């Protein structure tokens, strides 16, 4: 009898363990972090990429014209300095370190920025997928506006699906990929409808390219865009509170209700702060102090308040805009002192884990 009880207890424990593991996997997918694989260095890539970012001119004030580029090395196009230095996004050791950090942060989906076939961001995607899989992470795609038309995008998506969709780390929701489409508003909703509506002339519905397409909601008027474009949902991306309508947390309740009324997915995006004056010296108005983590927590709390299916995190490593959670270190270059996280370079990896766990408790 004792053996039977022990056997039944073992079965119960095994079932509980399997159930917990499945729940953990599903739950972590609800946290999705934007990732940039566009950094290069001389050793791995033959040249610097992005660390030597240009200083972006102002659109109308000539005072900010022709300011040149950062040089790289100690002088990078960012207000913070990475603990890993001027790394290459194609370095396997770096990819492994990043996936371990993301796993430690409690996030389940890495949303990689993608600029199409044969781009720098496409070069090492198989490595990213393989390494992510080892850490039980998934890879989704942030489609950058590199295409000129929906027809061109359709061709690019065909390449993406044929090349990568078979991989076990390629993220799918209910069996379909989920794509974030940056600057979606730059193409007319009528054009998007040709691709995304069921009866559109270039429709991807019920084809191998079918997916959840998530457009970027920027201004209040974008409600009309999502009424007719055929997108499956929208996200807010920007980590600067109040920068635009979509990134203003007081508007998220309205946006969540709009999504519910139109059977769409709403993905509010949160970030630890915003600081980009090394590449946009004219943009001090959008600076957002990290406040030792308080800003991040407020954004997370605002997102949780609207009970979303997913929360997007901006970002793991968008160093140019100072939204990264990747470890940063104190550093001085010439007369410039980089911002840092205080005593703990890993502060925002740990804080993301705490906030992620807080969110998952609500699900």
């Amino acid at each position: 009898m004792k053996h039977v009880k022990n056997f039944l207890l073992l079965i119960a424990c095994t079932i509980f363990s399997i159930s917990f593991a499945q729940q953990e996997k599903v739950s972590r997918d609800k946290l999705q972090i934007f990732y940039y694989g566009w950094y290069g260095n001389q050793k791995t890539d033959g040249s610097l990429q992005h660390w030597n970012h240009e200083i972006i001119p102002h659109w109308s004030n000539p005072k900010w014209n022709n300011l040149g580029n950062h040089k790289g090395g100690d002088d990078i196009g960012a207000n913070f300095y990475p603990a890993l230095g001027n790394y290459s996004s194609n370095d396997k050791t770096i990819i492994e370190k990043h996936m371990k950090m993301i796993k430690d942060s409690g996030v389940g989906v890495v949303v990689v920025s993608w600029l199409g076939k044969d781009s720098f961001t496409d070069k090492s995607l198989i490595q990213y997928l393989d390494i992510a899989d080892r850490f039980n992470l998934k890879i989704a795609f942030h489609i950058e506006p590199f295409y000129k038309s929906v027809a061109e995008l359709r061709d690019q998506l065909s390449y993406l699906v044929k090349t990568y969709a078979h991989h076990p780390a390629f993220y799918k929701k209910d069996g379909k990929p989920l794509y974030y489409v940056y600057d979606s508003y730059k193409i007319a909703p009528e054009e998007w409808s040709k691709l995304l509506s069921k009866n559109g002339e270039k429709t991807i519905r019920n084809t191998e390219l079918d997916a959840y397409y998530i457009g970027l909601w920027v201004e209040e008027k974008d409600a009309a865009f999502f009424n007719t474009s055929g997108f499956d949902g929208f996200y807010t991306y920007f980590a600067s509170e109040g920068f635009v309508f979509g990134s203003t947390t007081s508007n998220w309740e309205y946006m969540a209700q709009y999504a519910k009324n139109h059977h769409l997915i709403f993905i509010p995006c949160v970030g630890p702060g915003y600081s980009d004056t090394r590449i946009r010296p004219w943009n001090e108005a959008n600076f957002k102090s990290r406040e030792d983590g308080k800003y991040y927590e407020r954004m997370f709390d605002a997102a949780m308040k609207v009970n979303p299916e997913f929360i997007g995190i901006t970002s793991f490593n968008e160093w140019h805009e100072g939204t990264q959670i990747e470890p940063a270190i104190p550093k001085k270059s010439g007369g410039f002192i980089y911002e840092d996280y205080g005593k703990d370079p890993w502060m925002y990896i740990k804080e993301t884990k705490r906030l992620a766990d807080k969110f998952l408790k609500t699900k």
Side-chain angles (χ1 to χ4, degrees):
M1 189 67 177
K2 183 180 179 182
H3 293 305
V4 173
K5 286 182 178 178
N6 288 342
F7 179 68
L8 291 173
L9 182 61
L10 178 63
I11 291 174
C13 289
T14 302
I15 291 170
F16 175 79
S17 297
I18 292 170
S19 175
F20 180 81
Q22 288 175 338
Q23 181 60 39
E24 174 76 1
K25 180 174 179 292
V26 171
S27 296
R28 295 292 166 189
D29 289 355
K30 296 180 181 301
L31 291 144
Q32 311 200 346
I33 194 162
F34 295 104
Y35 181 97
Y36 292 85
W38 57 22
Y39 300 102
N41 60 28
Q42 195 71 36
K43 180 181 176 182
T44 304
D45 309 289
S47 64
L48 282 175
Q49 300 285 334
H50 274 265
W51 302 118
N52 55 343
H53 201 289
E54 71 165 323
I55 301 171
I56 299 171
H58 191 273
W59 62 89
S60 63
N61 188 342
K63 172 186 174 183
W64 304 110
N65 289 350
N66 305 314
L67 295 177
N69 288 47
H70 293 282
K71 296 175 182 178
D74 289 344
D75 171 29
I76 64 170
N79 289 54
F80 295 82
Y81 199 88
L84 294 174
N86 287 200
Y87 58 75
S88 167
S89 298
N90 296 309
D91 184 333
K92 184 179 178 182
T93 303
I94 293 296
I95 299 170
E96 287 174 339
K97 287 180 178 179
H98 281 177
M99 294 303 119
K100 174 67 163 58
M101 290 174 188
I102 292 170
K103 184 68 176 178
D104 289 346
S105 77
V107 173
V109 178
V110 186
V111 185
V112 300
S113 185
W114 191 67
L115 287 113
K117 181 183 178 183
D118 299 327
S119 68
F120 191 87
T121 57
D122 190 56
K123 186 176 178 181
S124 296
L125 268 180
I126 284 295
Q127 277 200 96
Y128 276 93
L129 287 158
D130 287 345
I131 294 168
D133 196 41
R134 295 210 318 259
F135 285 97
N136 196 27
L137 296 169
K138 300 295 183 186
I139 299 286
F141 293 86
H142 198 190
I143 310 296
E144 299 282 359
F146 62 88
Y147 49 90
K148 298 294 189 292
S149 67
V150 294
E152 181 186 350
L153 177 59
R154 199 182 198 285
D155 290 341
Q156 290 281 343
L157 289 169
S158 182
Y159 161 80
L160 187 67
V161 168
K162 287 175 181 174
T163 310
Y164 304 115
H166 65 280
H167 199 286
F170 190 105
Y171 175 65
K172 292 174 183 174
K173 167 182 156 57
D174 305 326
K176 295 196 297 186
L178 185 149
Y179 301 125
Y180 292 83
V181 184
Y182 190 70
D183 277 1
S184 48
Y185 63 89
K186 289 188 174 180
I187 289 180
E190 297 78 18
E191 288 298 303
W192 281 117
S193 183
K194 293 175 184 178
L195 187 74
L196 301 179
S197 295
K198 186 177 179 181
N199 298 317
E201 61 186 67
K202 296 182 178 68
T203 187
I204 49 79
R205 301 304 180 189
N206 299 314
T207 74
E208 65 174 2
L209 304 184
D210 205 352
Y212 292 98
Y213 288 85
I214 309 298
L216 179 65
W217 185 313
V218 179
E219 302 298 349
E220 186 173 7
K221 61 182 175 58
D222 290 344
F225 174 92
F226 288 105
N227 246 340
T228 58
S229 58
F231 275 89
D232 301 286
F234 46 86
Y235 72 119
T236 61
Y237 183 72
F238 302 109
S240 180
E241 162 77 44
F243 169 52
V244 292
F245 183 88
S247 70
T248 303
T249 57
S250 60
N251 295 327
W252 286 357
E253 187 174 350
Y254 161 76
M255 295 169 74
Q257 189 61 50
Y258 177 94
K260 184 177 180 181
N261 292 345
H262 293 81
H263 308 290
L264 299 173
I265 300 167
F266 172 42
I267 306 179
C269 298
V270 305
Y274 188 93
S275 186
D276 73 346
T277 52
R278 287 281 276 175
I279 64 164
R280 299 184 185 95
W282 38 265
N283 196 35
E284 290 182 358
N286 286 312
F287 169 81
K288 295 294 180 295
S289 169
R290 296 191 171 218
E291 301 175 50
D292 294 321
K294 292 185 178 65
Y295 178 85
Y296 199 20
E297 183 168 31
R298 285 200 303 273
M299 284 205 91
F300 247 100
D301 285 346
M304 286 188 282
K305 189 177 178 182
V306 299
N307 191 30
E309 182 177 359
F310 304 101
I311 288 179
I313 299 172
T314 308
S315 64
F316 178 77
N317 64 341
E318 219 302 7
W319 287 95
H320 307 310
E321 296 182 346
T323 63
Q324 77 290 333
I325 66 164
E326 185 182 355
I329 55 172
K331 192 172 184 66
K332 184 177 180 181
S333 176
F336 180 75
I337 301 173
Y338 289 92
E339 297 177 56
D340 61 69
Y341 306 159
K343 295 179 180 178
D344 186 0
W346 285 72
M347 173 182 174
Y348 288 95
I349 299 291
K350 296 172 183 175
E351 186 65 359
T352 301
K353 177 65 164 64
R354 184 182 75 82
L355 295 169
D357 289 351
K358 183 178 175 182
F359 170 57
L360 293 179
K361 286 178 182 176
T362 69
K363 307 315 286 179

